[in-house]
Amino acid sequence: QGNSAAPQWADAGGGAWEVVSTHALSGSTSYIDSNGWSNSYAQYQLVFNDIYYSNTSFKMHLRIYKDATSGNAGTLISSSGYAYGSTYEEQWAGGAPQRTGTWGDYHKLGNNSSGTYWNGYQTFPMQTFNGGGNVSSSWYGRTIRGGNLYTSDGGMYTNTKDQFMTGIRLYFYSADGTTAISPSNGRVTFLRMKYS
């Protein structure tokens, strides 16, 4: 308020990120949806912490929702057209990081590996136009699976380029990649970043 004026206090008004939803896992959830994403926000982020399933190896996969209008719930995309890949290193081993990538009907986190304990994040930039062409929905992040660090773990969906990405579904599968499981511990949180 200027020299010798009495101080006045005000709310900071929050940061750039805000929580959309958070889900504590306790053995009853085999997948989690978050949709209705809007390009009124710069990006969304999936954060997963301490995901564990009774000392048994399991996998984490994701698919996206798309719609012609940003902010709608959208349709879950279950067809092929997902490209995913990673660069990873084993924490206890030497040598150069390994690079892998492939196509499928999911983004399979950790390059489709299985593990007993998962941590990480995926960031989803929001498209501001859906002009088609070569504009694919894409995302990126990092994953820790046991002692393996995936320093880049990203994906993209190459079809339906005239629609916006409006959300994701995160799946939990057994090591065979097809049997749904329900992790007994961990938390999944969705965030979104404001423009201002």
Side-chain angles (χ1 to χ4, degrees):
Q1 299 298 307
N3 288 342
S4 72
Q8 292 187 358
W9 301 95
D11 243 336
W17 288 97
E18 60 187 16
V19 175
V20 176
S21 64
T22 187
H23 311 267
L25 303 176
S26 59
S28 61
T29 304
S30 60
Y31 68 86
I32 297 172
D33 278 324
S34 177
N35 58 2
W37 293 3
S38 167
N39 60 15
S40 296
Y41 294 87
Q43 57 190 21
Y44 284 73
Q45 191 170 76
L46 156 70
V47 179
F48 47 98
N49 298 104
D50 305 332
I51 311 297
Y52 174 83
Y53 177 63
S54 73
N55 208 32
T56 303
S57 287
F58 66 99
K59 297 181 177 184
M60 293 176 56
H61 299 172
L62 68 82
R63 286 174 168 159
I64 64 171
Y65 285 85
K66 297 202 84 171
D67 196 89
T69 303
S70 181
N72 283 353
T75 301
L76 183 67
I77 305 298
S78 58
S79 59
S80 61
Y82 288 90
Y84 63 93
S86 59
T87 303
Y88 71 96
E89 55 189 88
E90 294 178 331
Q91 303 296 69
W92 57 82
Q98 304 296 306
R99 292 180 295 166
T100 58
T102 192
W103 292 83
D105 54 0
Y106 297 86
H107 172 187
K108 300 179 179 182
L109 294 168
N111 196 45
N112 197 27
S113 298
S114 59
T116 57
Y117 196 62
W118 293 77
N119 288 282
Y121 67 89
Q122 289 288 309
T123 300
F124 302 84
M126 290 289 96
Q127 294 170 240
T128 56
F129 72 101
N130 60 348
N134 287 321
V135 180
S136 298
S137 298
S138 57
W139 51 93
Y140 61 93
R142 285 188 166 194
T143 300
I144 302 172
R145 178 190 58 83
N148 285 44
L149 172 62
Y150 295 83
T151 54
S152 63
D153 191 355
M156 61 188 289
Y157 184 72
T158 59
N159 300 329
T160 326
K161 294 179 180 177
D162 59 345
Q163 294 188 0
F164 296 101
M165 179 168 48
T166 59
I168 71 160
R169 175 175 288 181
L170 179 66
Y171 299 84
F172 307 107
Y173 284 122
S174 65
D176 66 13
T178 59
T179 304
I181 61 102
S182 297
S184 52
N185 189 75
R187 182 175 291 274
V188 173
T189 302
F190 293 96
L191 308 167
R192 61 189 177 191
M193 178 186 279
K194 296 179 283 188
Y195 276 111
S196 59

